[in-house]
Amino acid sequence: MLNRKSRRRAEAIARRNRPPSKTRPHGGMSRPVSRPSSPRRHAGALKSVLLTTAAASAILIAAPTSARAQIAVPGGNDPRCPVTGTTATCTGDLSDGLVVDGNLIQTLNVNNLTAAISPGANIRGIAVNGGGSGLTINVDTGAYGISTMGAHGISATENNADIAITSVGNITTTGSGAIGIYTRVNGNGNITISSTGDISTTSYRISEGIKARVRGRGDITITSTGKIITSDNGADAVEAHVTGGAGTVTVNLSGGTVQGGRGAAAAVRFSGGGANSVNTLNNDVTLTALSGRAVLGSDAKEIINNTGTIIGSVIFGDGDDTVNLDASGTTTNATFDGGDETDTFRLSGAGSNTLTGAQHQNFERLEKTGSSTWSLTGTHAFSQSAAILGGLLDLSGTLSSPIVTNQAGLTAGGIGTVGTGIVVGNLVQTGAGRFVVDLDMMAGTNDRINVTGTAQLSGTVVPRLLTIRPGPS
């Protein structure tokens, strides 16, 4: 509603816009004949003024403020991102982020920054959309890093072509769906990601650390040196997905803690693929998740080589899977489920370690390799076979398998302690096998292996004297 002053101003404008009065003769003279002002005309003029004033006010109120725009590459003569052929090299202040036309740029180099890449909300730090010729992206942010809100730190997509990303520096994202490094190939192609630095994502759902997807056939290699920390619902620290029926996926982790988020999340997730695909995780970090799921596998053949620490569950799908635990690693708080098909549990490395029977299920084969000593406590079941191929297996519990073959070293109760182990099945010791026996002559006891089936013994018995009964004085 207009105040009195505004109304008077509007009425004055309406009077100025009123058409001039007509004149008619009167005694040889003309005088103006005033036509009464039409209330309808007056109201219309007043309405026109009010609408014009309101529209002007609306325009003033809605006037946009200046927004930060990503640096377009190629983008004319911007000295920060000169282009030579299909290669762009971007340096200096790139704080507004980069959007790169992959139809024209196939190699992007980002280095020698003077500020962090930290664009506005919902804007990706570095975004490259390929044109089918392949992308190579080399990013070194030094001490500055990449920080985004509601968008990916680094994003690259291609169509039936390869993507290779090398990232050096820290990446931090906040907001739903904001992934640290995101790559996707539509169709067939390979993805290679090498990340050196820490990646941290914070949101309420699905903000993953590193995500690579091939929607066809292809290979994925992810190598991360540094921490990857995710915390929200459904946010995997690392996810690798191949839709096609064949491909090789390799994930190499070192240099810190890799933590998945809550809910359905995992620290490492393999998805897609099939019986002809091979997924490998080489773990040398502390691998954990707020959900309790360290690794979620697919129906591909999967291999886990662990020299680090695994906390939580490792769950495989179909496929012939292998867990290879080096004695230098720690899996005290880990459990392993082999799923279907023929799965192998391998104990390897140097040094010594212990595996409890409650830590594994649905594995068909046990293999003991390397020079290490592994102790089995509790009850262990392997439905096909157990083979001691190297080092020493200390059976301090029960080993159930149709056939247990000793081609290296077998003992019971640990070195230096008299104990009893149980084999539920048949025991075969080959000519290369050794049965290491602790002897307590004073107590008249020694190590024993009780076999419920048959025992075929070749090779040697290696006695270890704990005490010696004194002879007659």
mmCIF file of all heavy atoms in Angstrom, residues 197-240:
data_model
loop_
_atom_site.group_PDB
_atom_site.id
_atom_site.type_symbol
_atom_site.label_atom_id
_atom_site.label_comp_id
_atom_site.label_asym_id
_atom_site.label_seq_id
_atom_site.Cartn_x
_atom_site.Cartn_y
_atom_site.Cartn_z
ATOM 1 N N GLY A 197 48.494 -38.108 -1.777
ATOM 2 C CA GLY A 197 47.917 -37.064 -0.941
ATOM 3 C C GLY A 197 46.694 -37.606 -0.231
ATOM 4 O O GLY A 197 46.268 -38.740 -0.456
ATOM 5 N N ASP A 198 46.109 -36.793 0.623
ATOM 6 C CA ASP A 198 44.947 -37.218 1.399
ATOM 7 C C ASP A 198 43.654 -36.770 0.713
ATOM 8 O O ASP A 198 43.576 -35.677 0.161
ATOM 9 C CB ASP A 198 44.997 -36.633 2.810
ATOM 10 C CG ASP A 198 46.205 -37.114 3.595
ATOM 11 O OD1 ASP A 198 46.752 -38.178 3.233
ATOM 12 O OD2 ASP A 198 46.605 -36.440 4.567
ATOM 13 N N ILE A 199 42.640 -37.622 0.804
ATOM 14 C CA ILE A 199 41.309 -37.312 0.276
ATOM 15 C C ILE A 199 40.318 -37.423 1.428
ATOM 16 O O ILE A 199 40.285 -38.448 2.127
ATOM 17 C CB ILE A 199 40.912 -38.252 -0.861
ATOM 18 C CG1 ILE A 199 41.871 -38.099 -2.051
ATOM 19 C CG2 ILE A 199 39.481 -37.987 -1.308
ATOM 20 C CD1 ILE A 199 41.594 -39.058 -3.191
ATOM 21 N N SER A 200 39.517 -36.393 1.611
ATOM 22 C CA SER A 200 38.530 -36.384 2.689
ATOM 23 C C SER A 200 37.202 -35.873 2.145
ATOM 24 O O SER A 200 37.154 -34.834 1.487
ATOM 25 C CB SER A 200 38.997 -35.488 3.840
ATOM 26 O OG SER A 200 37.999 -35.372 4.836
ATOM 27 N N THR A 201 36.114 -36.618 2.404
ATOM 28 C CA THR A 201 34.784 -36.186 1.991
ATOM 29 C C THR A 201 33.863 -36.181 3.202
ATOM 30 O O THR A 201 33.924 -37.075 4.040
ATOM 31 C CB THR A 201 34.190 -37.110 0.908
ATOM 32 O OG1 THR A 201 33.857 -38.380 1.488
ATOM 33 C CG2 THR A 201 35.171 -37.302 -0.233
ATOM 34 N N THR A 202 33.011 -35.171 3.285
ATOM 35 C CA THR A 202 32.085 -35.036 4.406
ATOM 36 C C THR A 202 30.711 -34.685 3.864
ATOM 37 O O THR A 202 30.557 -33.695 3.141
ATOM 38 C CB THR A 202 32.543 -33.941 5.377
ATOM 39 O OG1 THR A 202 33.874 -34.243 5.818
ATOM 40 C CG2 THR A 202 31.620 -33.872 6.583
ATOM 41 N N SER A 203 29.705 -35.484 4.197
ATOM 42 C CA SER A 203 28.352 -35.226 3.732
ATOM 43 C C SER A 203 27.405 -36.121 4.500
ATOM 44 O O SER A 203 27.808 -36.824 5.420
ATOM 45 C CB SER A 203 28.249 -35.496 2.233
ATOM 46 O OG SER A 203 26.921 -35.317 1.781
ATOM 47 N N TYR A 204 26.134 -36.115 4.097
ATOM 48 C CA TYR A 204 25.196 -37.030 4.702
ATOM 49 C C TYR A 204 24.913 -38.233 3.828
ATOM 50 O O TYR A 204 24.230 -39.155 4.241
ATOM 51 C CB TYR A 204 23.879 -36.302 5.052
ATOM 52 C CG TYR A 204 23.137 -35.728 3.870
ATOM 53 C CD1 TYR A 204 22.193 -36.492 3.194
ATOM 54 C CD2 TYR A 204 23.378 -34.429 3.436
ATOM 55 C CE1 TYR A 204 21.512 -35.964 2.111
ATOM 56 C CE2 TYR A 204 22.693 -33.904 2.358
ATOM 57 C CZ TYR A 204 21.758 -34.666 1.702
ATOM 58 O OH TYR A 204 21.086 -34.149 0.624
ATOM 59 N N ARG A 205 25.410 -38.266 2.566
ATOM 60 C CA ARG A 205 25.233 -39.475 1.778
ATOM 61 C C ARG A 205 26.128 -39.462 0.540
ATOM 62 O O ARG A 205 26.356 -38.441 -0.081
ATOM 63 C CB ARG A 205 23.774 -39.668 1.343
ATOM 64 C CG ARG A 205 23.282 -38.672 0.318
ATOM 65 C CD ARG A 205 21.826 -38.930 -0.074
ATOM 66 N NE ARG A 205 21.391 -38.023 -1.123
ATOM 67 C CZ ARG A 205 21.494 -38.279 -2.415
ATOM 68 N NH1 ARG A 205 22.002 -39.419 -2.802
ATOM 69 N NH2 ARG A 205 21.091 -37.397 -3.312
ATOM 70 N N ILE A 206 26.656 -40.615 0.234
ATOM 71 C CA ILE A 206 27.307 -40.985 -1.028
ATOM 72 C C ILE A 206 28.312 -39.961 -1.525
ATOM 73 O O ILE A 206 28.261 -39.534 -2.674
ATOM 74 C CB ILE A 206 26.253 -41.271 -2.120
ATOM 75 C CG1 ILE A 206 25.107 -42.115 -1.566
ATOM 76 C CG2 ILE A 206 26.881 -42.032 -3.280
ATOM 77 C CD1 ILE A 206 24.022 -42.431 -2.571
ATOM 78 N N SER A 207 29.220 -39.569 -0.675
ATOM 79 C CA SER A 207 30.354 -38.753 -1.113
ATOM 80 C C SER A 207 31.600 -39.614 -0.979
ATOM 81 O O SER A 207 32.201 -39.697 0.085
ATOM 82 C CB SER A 207 30.460 -37.473 -0.272
ATOM 83 O OG SER A 207 29.374 -36.620 -0.520
ATOM 84 N N GLU A 208 31.968 -40.270 -2.067
ATOM 85 C CA GLU A 208 33.034 -41.263 -2.021
ATOM 86 C C GLU A 208 34.407 -40.620 -2.200
ATOM 87 O O GLU A 208 34.525 -39.475 -2.640
ATOM 88 C CB GLU A 208 32.776 -42.319 -3.096
ATOM 89 C CG GLU A 208 31.493 -43.102 -2.841
ATOM 90 C CD GLU A 208 31.021 -43.900 -4.038
ATOM 91 O OE1 GLU A 208 30.695 -43.284 -5.060
ATOM 92 O OE2 GLU A 208 30.981 -45.135 -3.939
ATOM 93 N N GLY A 209 35.437 -41.386 -1.863
ATOM 94 C CA GLY A 209 36.794 -40.876 -2.012
ATOM 95 C C GLY A 209 37.261 -40.932 -3.460
ATOM 96 O O GLY A 209 37.530 -39.912 -4.089
ATOM 97 N N ILE A 210 37.364 -42.156 -3.999
ATOM 98 C CA ILE A 210 37.744 -42.366 -5.399
ATOM 99 C C ILE A 210 36.729 -43.322 -6.012
ATOM 100 O O ILE A 210 36.446 -44.386 -5.458
ATOM 101 C CB ILE A 210 39.161 -42.961 -5.519
ATOM 102 C CG1 ILE A 210 40.206 -41.998 -4.950
ATOM 103 C CG2 ILE A 210 39.486 -43.286 -6.974
ATOM 104 C CD1 ILE A 210 41.610 -42.569 -4.946
ATOM 105 N N LYS A 211 36.208 -42.942 -7.173
ATOM 106 C CA LYS A 211 35.230 -43.785 -7.860
ATOM 107 C C LYS A 211 35.585 -43.880 -9.330
ATOM 108 O O LYS A 211 35.768 -42.863 -9.993
ATOM 109 C CB LYS A 211 33.820 -43.210 -7.709
ATOM 110 C CG LYS A 211 32.724 -44.097 -8.293
ATOM 111 C CD LYS A 211 31.354 -43.566 -7.898
ATOM 112 C CE LYS A 211 30.249 -44.528 -8.333
ATOM 113 N NZ LYS A 211 28.922 -44.085 -7.835
ATOM 114 N N ALA A 212 35.688 -45.116 -9.830
ATOM 115 C CA ALA A 212 36.010 -45.352 -11.238
ATOM 116 C C ALA A 212 34.996 -46.329 -11.806
ATOM 117 O O ALA A 212 34.779 -47.409 -11.239
ATOM 118 C CB ALA A 212 37.425 -45.902 -11.378
ATOM 119 N N ARG A 213 34.398 -45.958 -12.958
ATOM 120 C CA ARG A 213 33.370 -46.803 -13.569
ATOM 121 C C ARG A 213 33.633 -46.941 -15.062
ATOM 122 O O ARG A 213 33.839 -45.944 -15.757
ATOM 123 C CB ARG A 213 31.974 -46.230 -13.356
ATOM 124 C CG ARG A 213 31.641 -45.890 -11.932
ATOM 125 C CD ARG A 213 30.154 -45.781 -11.707
ATOM 126 N NE ARG A 213 29.535 -47.101 -11.659
ATOM 127 C CZ ARG A 213 28.232 -47.296 -11.406
ATOM 128 N NH1 ARG A 213 27.444 -46.261 -11.233
ATOM 129 N NH2 ARG A 213 27.745 -48.513 -11.357
ATOM 130 N N VAL A 214 33.625 -48.179 -15.540
ATOM 131 C CA VAL A 214 33.684 -48.469 -16.979
ATOM 132 C C VAL A 214 32.368 -49.134 -17.349
ATOM 133 O O VAL A 214 32.073 -50.244 -16.887
ATOM 134 C CB VAL A 214 34.868 -49.386 -17.332
ATOM 135 C CG1 VAL A 214 34.822 -49.763 -18.810
ATOM 136 C CG2 VAL A 214 36.191 -48.700 -17.000
ATOM 137 N N ARG A 215 31.587 -48.459 -18.165
ATOM 138 C CA ARG A 215 30.292 -48.984 -18.573
ATOM 139 C C ARG A 215 30.423 -49.782 -19.860
ATOM 140 O O ARG A 215 29.792 -49.494 -20.874
ATOM 141 C CB ARG A 215 29.291 -47.848 -18.736
ATOM 142 C CG ARG A 215 28.981 -47.140 -17.414
ATOM 143 C CD ARG A 215 27.990 -46.021 -17.593
ATOM 144 N NE ARG A 215 27.558 -45.482 -16.304
ATOM 145 C CZ ARG A 215 26.731 -44.453 -16.167
ATOM 146 N NH1 ARG A 215 26.261 -43.846 -17.245
ATOM 147 N NH2 ARG A 215 26.387 -44.041 -14.978
ATOM 148 N N GLY A 216 31.271 -50.756 -19.818
ATOM 149 C CA GLY A 216 31.562 -51.608 -20.949
ATOM 150 C C GLY A 216 32.688 -52.535 -20.535
ATOM 151 O O GLY A 216 32.759 -52.990 -19.400
ATOM 152 N N ARG A 217 33.603 -52.803 -21.441
ATOM 153 C CA ARG A 217 34.775 -53.629 -21.147
ATOM 154 C C ARG A 217 36.004 -52.745 -20.967
ATOM 155 O O ARG A 217 36.187 -51.789 -21.706
ATOM 156 C CB ARG A 217 35.019 -54.640 -22.270
ATOM 157 C CG ARG A 217 33.934 -55.697 -22.395
ATOM 158 C CD ARG A 217 34.168 -56.591 -23.602
ATOM 159 N NE ARG A 217 33.179 -57.645 -23.701
ATOM 160 C CZ ARG A 217 33.328 -58.874 -23.213
ATOM 161 N NH1 ARG A 217 34.463 -59.196 -22.612
ATOM 162 N NH2 ARG A 217 32.377 -59.769 -23.334
ATOM 163 N N GLY A 218 36.825 -53.121 -20.011
ATOM 164 C CA GLY A 218 38.040 -52.348 -19.798
ATOM 165 C C GLY A 218 38.685 -52.698 -18.471
ATOM 166 O O GLY A 218 38.160 -53.488 -17.677
ATOM 167 N N ASP A 219 39.840 -52.118 -18.237
ATOM 168 C CA ASP A 219 40.614 -52.346 -17.021
ATOM 169 C C ASP A 219 40.637 -51.067 -16.182
ATOM 170 O O ASP A 219 40.598 -49.954 -16.716
ATOM 171 C CB ASP A 219 42.052 -52.748 -17.356
ATOM 172 C CG ASP A 219 42.126 -54.027 -18.177
ATOM 173 O OD1 ASP A 219 41.186 -54.842 -18.073
ATOM 174 O OD2 ASP A 219 43.110 -54.203 -18.921
ATOM 175 N N ILE A 220 40.724 -51.262 -14.869
ATOM 176 C CA ILE A 220 40.832 -50.135 -13.939
ATOM 177 C C ILE A 220 42.018 -50.374 -13.022
ATOM 178 O O ILE A 220 42.162 -51.457 -12.455
ATOM 179 C CB ILE A 220 39.551 -49.979 -13.091
ATOM 180 C CG1 ILE A 220 38.354 -49.635 -13.974
ATOM 181 C CG2 ILE A 220 39.741 -48.912 -12.021
ATOM 182 C CD1 ILE A 220 37.038 -49.596 -13.213
ATOM 183 N N THR A 221 42.857 -49.355 -12.872
ATOM 184 C CA THR A 221 43.964 -49.402 -11.912
ATOM 185 C C THR A 221 43.902 -48.158 -11.042
ATOM 186 O O THR A 221 43.936 -47.034 -11.558
ATOM 187 C CB THR A 221 45.326 -49.471 -12.615
ATOM 188 O OG1 THR A 221 45.376 -50.631 -13.446
ATOM 189 C CG2 THR A 221 46.459 -49.547 -11.596
ATOM 190 N N ILE A 222 43.788 -48.349 -9.747
ATOM 191 C CA ILE A 222 43.748 -47.241 -8.785
ATOM 192 C C ILE A 222 44.900 -47.423 -7.815
ATOM 193 O O ILE A 222 45.004 -48.458 -7.158
ATOM 194 C CB ILE A 222 42.412 -47.201 -8.022
ATOM 195 C CG1 ILE A 222 41.244 -46.991 -8.982
ATOM 196 C CG2 ILE A 222 42.442 -46.114 -6.952
ATOM 197 C CD1 ILE A 222 39.882 -47.124 -8.325
ATOM 198 N N THR A 223 45.753 -46.414 -7.728
ATOM 199 C CA THR A 223 46.876 -46.431 -6.787
ATOM 200 C C THR A 223 46.783 -45.198 -5.903
ATOM 201 O O THR A 223 46.799 -44.072 -6.410
ATOM 202 C CB THR A 223 48.221 -46.453 -7.528
ATOM 203 O OG1 THR A 223 48.284 -47.619 -8.364
ATOM 204 C CG2 THR A 223 49.377 -46.486 -6.539
ATOM 205 N N SER A 224 46.668 -45.416 -4.611
ATOM 206 C CA SER A 224 46.543 -44.301 -3.674
ATOM 207 C C SER A 224 47.631 -44.395 -2.617
ATOM 208 O O SER A 224 47.800 -45.436 -1.979
ATOM 209 C CB SER A 224 45.168 -44.309 -2.996
ATOM 210 O OG SER A 224 45.110 -43.334 -1.970
ATOM 211 N N THR A 225 48.363 -43.282 -2.457
ATOM 212 C CA THR A 225 49.355 -43.158 -1.390
ATOM 213 C C THR A 225 48.905 -42.011 -0.501
ATOM 214 O O THR A 225 49.022 -40.846 -0.876
ATOM 215 C CB THR A 225 50.753 -42.892 -1.958
ATOM 216 O OG1 THR A 225 51.106 -43.942 -2.873
ATOM 217 C CG2 THR A 225 51.781 -42.826 -0.845
ATOM 218 N N GLY A 226 48.357 -42.333 0.654
ATOM 219 C CA GLY A 226 47.828 -41.311 1.537
ATOM 220 C C GLY A 226 46.529 -41.779 2.163
ATOM 221 O O GLY A 226 46.043 -42.886 1.905
ATOM 222 N N LYS A 227 45.937 -40.940 2.965
ATOM 223 C CA LYS A 227 44.684 -41.276 3.643
ATOM 224 C C LYS A 227 43.492 -41.000 2.722
ATOM 225 O O LYS A 227 43.499 -40.044 1.955
ATOM 226 C CB LYS A 227 44.531 -40.468 4.926
ATOM 227 C CG LYS A 227 45.566 -40.775 5.987
ATOM 228 C CD LYS A 227 45.266 -40.050 7.280
ATOM 229 C CE LYS A 227 45.414 -38.549 7.145
ATOM 230 N NZ LYS A 227 45.220 -37.846 8.437
ATOM 231 N N ILE A 228 42.479 -41.839 2.869
ATOM 232 C CA ILE A 228 41.175 -41.586 2.253
ATOM 233 C C ILE A 228 40.144 -41.766 3.359
ATOM 234 O O ILE A 228 39.993 -42.867 3.900
ATOM 235 C CB ILE A 228 40.871 -42.545 1.090
ATOM 236 C CG1 ILE A 228 41.965 -42.486 0.018
ATOM 237 C CG2 ILE A 228 39.521 -42.215 0.470
ATOM 238 C CD1 ILE A 228 41.767 -43.477 -1.105
ATOM 239 N N ILE A 229 39.457 -40.693 3.709
ATOM 240 C CA ILE A 229 38.511 -40.727 4.821
ATOM 241 C C ILE A 229 37.133 -40.299 4.322
ATOM 242 O O ILE A 229 36.949 -39.162 3.877
ATOM 243 C CB ILE A 229 38.947 -39.815 5.986
ATOM 244 C CG1 ILE A 229 40.366 -40.180 6.457
ATOM 245 C CG2 ILE A 229 37.959 -39.899 7.131
ATOM 246 C CD1 ILE A 229 40.483 -41.564 7.056
ATOM 247 N N THR A 230 36.170 -41.203 4.379
ATOM 248 C CA THR A 230 34.777 -40.872 4.111
ATOM 249 C C THR A 230 33.977 -41.222 5.357
ATOM 250 O O THR A 230 34.359 -42.100 6.125
ATOM 251 C CB THR A 230 34.219 -41.631 2.901
ATOM 252 O OG1 THR A 230 34.243 -43.049 3.185
ATOM 253 C CG2 THR A 230 35.060 -41.367 1.667
ATOM 254 N N SER A 231 32.841 -40.554 5.545
ATOM 255 C CA SER A 231 32.105 -40.761 6.793
ATOM 256 C C SER A 231 30.605 -40.874 6.612
ATOM 257 O O SER A 231 29.910 -41.300 7.534
ATOM 258 C CB SER A 231 32.399 -39.611 7.762
ATOM 259 O OG SER A 231 32.052 -38.361 7.183
ATOM 260 N N ASP A 232 30.083 -40.517 5.455
ATOM 261 C CA ASP A 232 28.629 -40.446 5.342
ATOM 262 C C ASP A 232 28.018 -41.766 4.875
ATOM 263 O O ASP A 232 28.715 -42.717 4.532
ATOM 264 C CB ASP A 232 28.217 -39.299 4.416
ATOM 265 C CG ASP A 232 28.815 -39.436 3.036
ATOM 266 O OD1 ASP A 232 30.043 -39.335 2.940
ATOM 267 O OD2 ASP A 232 28.074 -39.648 2.080
ATOM 268 N N ASN A 233 26.709 -41.813 4.842
ATOM 269 C CA ASN A 233 25.962 -43.017 4.524
ATOM 270 C C ASN A 233 26.197 -43.442 3.074
ATOM 271 O O ASN A 233 26.000 -42.663 2.157
ATOM 272 C CB ASN A 233 24.475 -42.770 4.756
ATOM 273 C CG ASN A 233 23.656 -44.030 4.638
ATOM 274 O OD1 ASN A 233 24.129 -45.113 4.957
ATOM 275 N ND2 ASN A 233 22.431 -43.904 4.179
ATOM 276 N N GLY A 234 26.633 -44.673 2.882
ATOM 277 C CA GLY A 234 26.833 -45.204 1.545
ATOM 278 C C GLY A 234 28.081 -44.727 0.843
ATOM 279 O O GLY A 234 28.251 -44.998 -0.351
ATOM 280 N N ALA A 235 28.982 -44.055 1.540
ATOM 281 C CA ALA A 235 30.176 -43.487 0.901
ATOM 282 C C ALA A 235 31.345 -44.454 1.018
ATOM 283 O O ALA A 235 31.949 -44.596 2.088
ATOM 284 C CB ALA A 235 30.527 -42.141 1.522
ATOM 285 N N ASP A 236 31.672 -45.136 -0.087
ATOM 286 C CA ASP A 236 32.853 -45.991 -0.113
ATOM 287 C C ASP A 236 34.109 -45.123 -0.191
ATOM 288 O O ASP A 236 34.104 -44.069 -0.826
ATOM 289 C CB ASP A 236 32.820 -46.916 -1.331
ATOM 290 C CG ASP A 236 31.556 -47.757 -1.389
ATOM 291 O OD1 ASP A 236 31.114 -48.228 -0.329
ATOM 292 O OD2 ASP A 236 31.013 -47.930 -2.500
ATOM 293 N N ALA A 237 35.173 -45.587 0.435
ATOM 294 C CA ALA A 237 36.441 -44.884 0.258
ATOM 295 C C ALA A 237 36.946 -45.063 -1.170
ATOM 296 O O ALA A 237 37.387 -44.111 -1.815
ATOM 297 C CB ALA A 237 37.471 -45.379 1.270
ATOM 298 N N VAL A 238 36.860 -46.299 -1.684
ATOM 299 C CA VAL A 238 37.267 -46.596 -3.061
ATOM 300 C C VAL A 238 36.220 -47.521 -3.670
ATOM 301 O O VAL A 238 35.857 -48.541 -3.067
ATOM 302 C CB VAL A 238 38.648 -47.272 -3.126
ATOM 303 C CG1 VAL A 238 39.001 -47.646 -4.568
ATOM 304 C CG2 VAL A 238 39.725 -46.384 -2.520
ATOM 305 N N GLU A 239 35.743 -47.164 -4.874
ATOM 306 C CA GLU A 239 34.854 -48.064 -5.611
ATOM 307 C C GLU A 239 35.356 -48.210 -7.033
ATOM 308 O O GLU A 239 35.664 -47.213 -7.704
ATOM 309 C CB GLU A 239 33.411 -47.560 -5.656
ATOM 310 C CG GLU A 239 32.502 -48.527 -6.425
ATOM 311 C CD GLU A 239 31.127 -47.984 -6.713
ATOM 312 O OE1 GLU A 239 30.792 -46.890 -6.225
ATOM 313 O OE2 GLU A 239 30.380 -48.659 -7.464
ATOM 314 N N ALA A 240 35.424 -49.462 -7.494
ATOM 315 C CA ALA A 240 35.798 -49.750 -8.879
ATOM 316 C C ALA A 240 34.729 -50.637 -9.487
ATOM 317 O O ALA A 240 34.378 -51.682 -8.915
ATOM 318 C CB ALA A 240 37.163 -50.431 -8.944
#
